[in-house]
Amino acid sequence: MNKLIEKASEEHNLTRDELITLLREDALNEEIFAAADKVRQKYVGDGIHLRGLIEFSNFCRNNCCYCGLRRDNKNIERYRIDENTIFQLAKHASENMGLKTIVLQSGEDMFFDCDKLCSIIRKIKTLGVALTLSIGEKSLTEYQAYKTAGADRFLLRIETTDKQLYLDNDPGMNWENRVECIKNLGIAGLEIGTGILVGLPKQKTESYADDILFFKNVHADMIGIGPFIPHPDTPLKNAKGGDLKTALKVMALTRLLLPDINIPATTAMETLAPNGQIRALRAGANVIMPNITLTEYRKHYELYPGKSTTGYTPDESLKDVKEKISALGRFVATDFGFHLHKI
Ligand code: 5AD
Ligand code: SF4
């Protein structure tokens, strides 16, 4: 085995330069994927955790250049799902679909203030599920309130650790503040989910190495890595976009360095290639997030075009995911899938 891959597999540490060497060398890709698959099996096993995703509002106060939900995009119909419908979707997911985690995701929508969110969190927690939020930058006090109401985890991608690239793509936002928010999630006692986009214009190989070291540094519990897919109603509509191979490589190296965390095979990976998620599950991923939003809303939650599950109902999304899992010879995990801290 290549010496660096061997070191990463055994010590779960690489220097920035070593990461860059592996990121640059495409002849080693299959070896990196196989090593990440082995480390995944050793630390988190063959069970795949399913997280039911509810996209409950597509209003957003931000204007990220890559995202179809950006506030300047007037070509989308904005919606909010009401509290009771959100609860009914979560109930169906828990009682009829057997899902153990519900993820509530939205743009940064100020309509759902802390009281409204805490009320939804308390209601969903009566179902006996784990609850993840993915609703953007909030204060430490708010993160603490969500935790007290029963939330378990929170997803907030750093998007990129290249500060200039972040500022170029997320106008009006502040990179240091985002890092502070990610750290505050941990202070509030929530599991920390973060991650990046791969393939933004001018994103460098060196910065992927920094991203992976950042994940270690903030003690991330979950890492989501998605190729950037240009959206026609955004300033980046003519950009080239990310490729699956690079996204898989950054993901596999993340598995080697953070061996016991949860890593989803992301929907963006599937959107780039019909077997994208299967390839991810063979290269370090152990989580899938089936979309359980009602079909009528899905087409309006277009972060990027061509999202693979847009036309599906919640039950069809689950069926699709379960078929992929059996094709791989793996199984759906029956526990909540918290980060087990094995190292
Ligand atoms: N392509 C891929 N992923 C995107 N996201 C936003 N826009 C795009 C896009 N065009 C991702 C961001 C955000 C997550 C919810 O969706 O990384 O954190
Ligand atoms: Fe809003 Fe998130 Fe899209 Fe940025 S990436 S515009 S914060 S929904």
Side-chain angles (χ1 to χ4, degrees):
M1 196 197 270
N2 170 283
K3 281 272 172 284
L4 289 182
I5 301 176
E6 194 176 333
K7 179 184 168 195
S9 299
E10 282 165 15
E11 297 171 22
H12 311 302
N13 258 316
L14 288 176
T15 64
R16 182 176 190 267
D17 285 346
E18 288 169 339
L19 279 167
I20 294 169
T21 304
L22 289 179
L23 284 163
R24 290 228 167 98
E25 182 48 86
D26 271 344
L28 294 171
N29 292 358
E30 291 308 320
E31 212 181 314
I32 293 172
F33 298 153
D37 196 41
K38 228 168 142 186
V39 166
R40 184 271 310 152
Q41 185 174 42
K42 177 172 169 198
Y43 284 88
V44 295
D46 282 338
I48 294 176
H49 299 284
L50 302 185
R51 324 290 202 195
L53 176 68
I54 305 177
E55 296 157 335
F56 69 95
S57 161
N58 68 352
F59 282 84
C60 188
R61 64 173 171 170
N62 293 328
N63 219 12
C64 306
C65 294
Y66 41 78
C67 177
L69 304 192
R70 68 199 306 270
R71 67 166 186 266
D72 283 355
N73 182 9
K74 308 291 181 222
N75 286 341
I76 61 168
E77 202 176 298
R78 304 280 170 175
Y79 71 85
R80 294 186 177 105
I81 305 184
D82 66 83
E83 181 171 338
N84 188 46
T85 310
I86 297 174
F87 177 71
Q88 292 308 326
L89 285 172
K91 190 165 187 276
H92 177 69
S94 161
E95 293 179 357
N96 306 327
M97 299 166 86
L99 300 183
K100 299 276 176 201
T101 293
I102 302 297
V103 183
L104 295 183
Q105 189 176 76
S106 68
E108 289 199 9
D109 182 1
M110 304 318 276
F111 172 84
F112 286 97
D113 59 21
C114 196
D115 285 348
K116 285 198 184 76
L117 281 164
C118 287
S119 152
I120 298 171
I121 294 167
R122 280 191 291 270
K123 218 160 151 184
I124 292 181
K125 286 299 286 188
T126 62
L127 298 168
V129 290
L131 182 59
T132 307
L133 298 173
S134 175
I135 56 176
E137 297 183 13
K138 307 282 173 182
S139 67
L140 174 59
T141 316
E142 285 169 290
Y143 291 146
Q144 285 166 328
Y146 306 149
K147 170 73 187 175
T148 307
D152 300 284
R153 315 179 181 129
F154 201 105
L155 311 176
L156 185 68
R157 288 185 180 174
I158 187 67
E159 312 295 359
T160 173
T161 53
D162 178 335
K163 197 172 143 186
Q164 192 54 50
L165 186 66
Y166 181 87
L167 295 177
D168 290 347
N169 284 295
D170 295 349
M173 295 178 79
N174 175 321
W175 188 84
E176 280 82 10
N177 187 53
R178 198 156 183 93
V179 174
E180 193 177 327
C181 284
I182 292 169
K183 291 186 174 160
N184 281 344
L185 297 173
I187 295 173
L190 295 158
E191 277 199 349
I192 301 175
T194 184
I196 55 158
L197 284 165
V198 168
L200 289 168
K202 299 201 196 134
Q203 196 169 11
K204 295 197 187 75
T205 304
E206 290 87 338
S207 84
Y208 298 132
D210 291 330
D211 296 335
I212 297 169
L213 295 173
F214 172 84
F215 302 154
K216 245 180 135 55
N217 193 264
V218 295
H219 303 292
D221 300 295
M222 307 171 276
I223 292 297
I225 288 162
F228 157 59
I229 301 172
H231 189 293
D233 298 317
T234 64
L236 295 184
K237 61 175 178 239
N238 295 320
K240 185 163 160 274
D243 65 276
L244 184 62
K245 178 203 73 190
T246 311
L248 289 175
K249 245 178 124 167
V250 177
M251 186 199 75
L253 290 168
T254 300
R255 168 61 73 198
L256 292 177
L257 265 63
L258 293 91
D260 62 355
I261 64 162
N262 286 312
I263 299 183
T266 56
T267 313
M269 288 176 171
E270 187 72 7
T271 304
L272 280 193
N275 60 351
Q277 279 181 315
I278 300 234
R279 286 173 66 184
L281 291 167
R282 286 200 176 117
N286 71 321
V287 171
I288 295 196
M289 298 167 66
N291 194 328
I292 57 163
T293 313
L294 294 168
T295 320
E296 63 189 281
Y297 295 115
R298 290 188 189 198
K299 59 178 175 299
H300 304 302
Y301 203 89
E302 210 186 52
L303 302 161
Y304 48 85
K307 257 169 82 186
S308 56
T309 58
T310 305
Y312 286 15
T313 64
D315 292 340
E316 284 165 352
S317 289
L318 183 67
K319 187 168 165 272
D320 172 66
V321 158
K322 284 192 167 164
E323 279 168 9
K324 285 182 184 140
I325 294 173
S326 7
L328 279 169
R330 308 253 285 271
F331 60 90
V332 176
T334 50
D335 61 318
F336 290 112
F338 283 100
H339 177 193
L340 292 176
H341 297 282
K342 298 216 171 139
I343 58 161

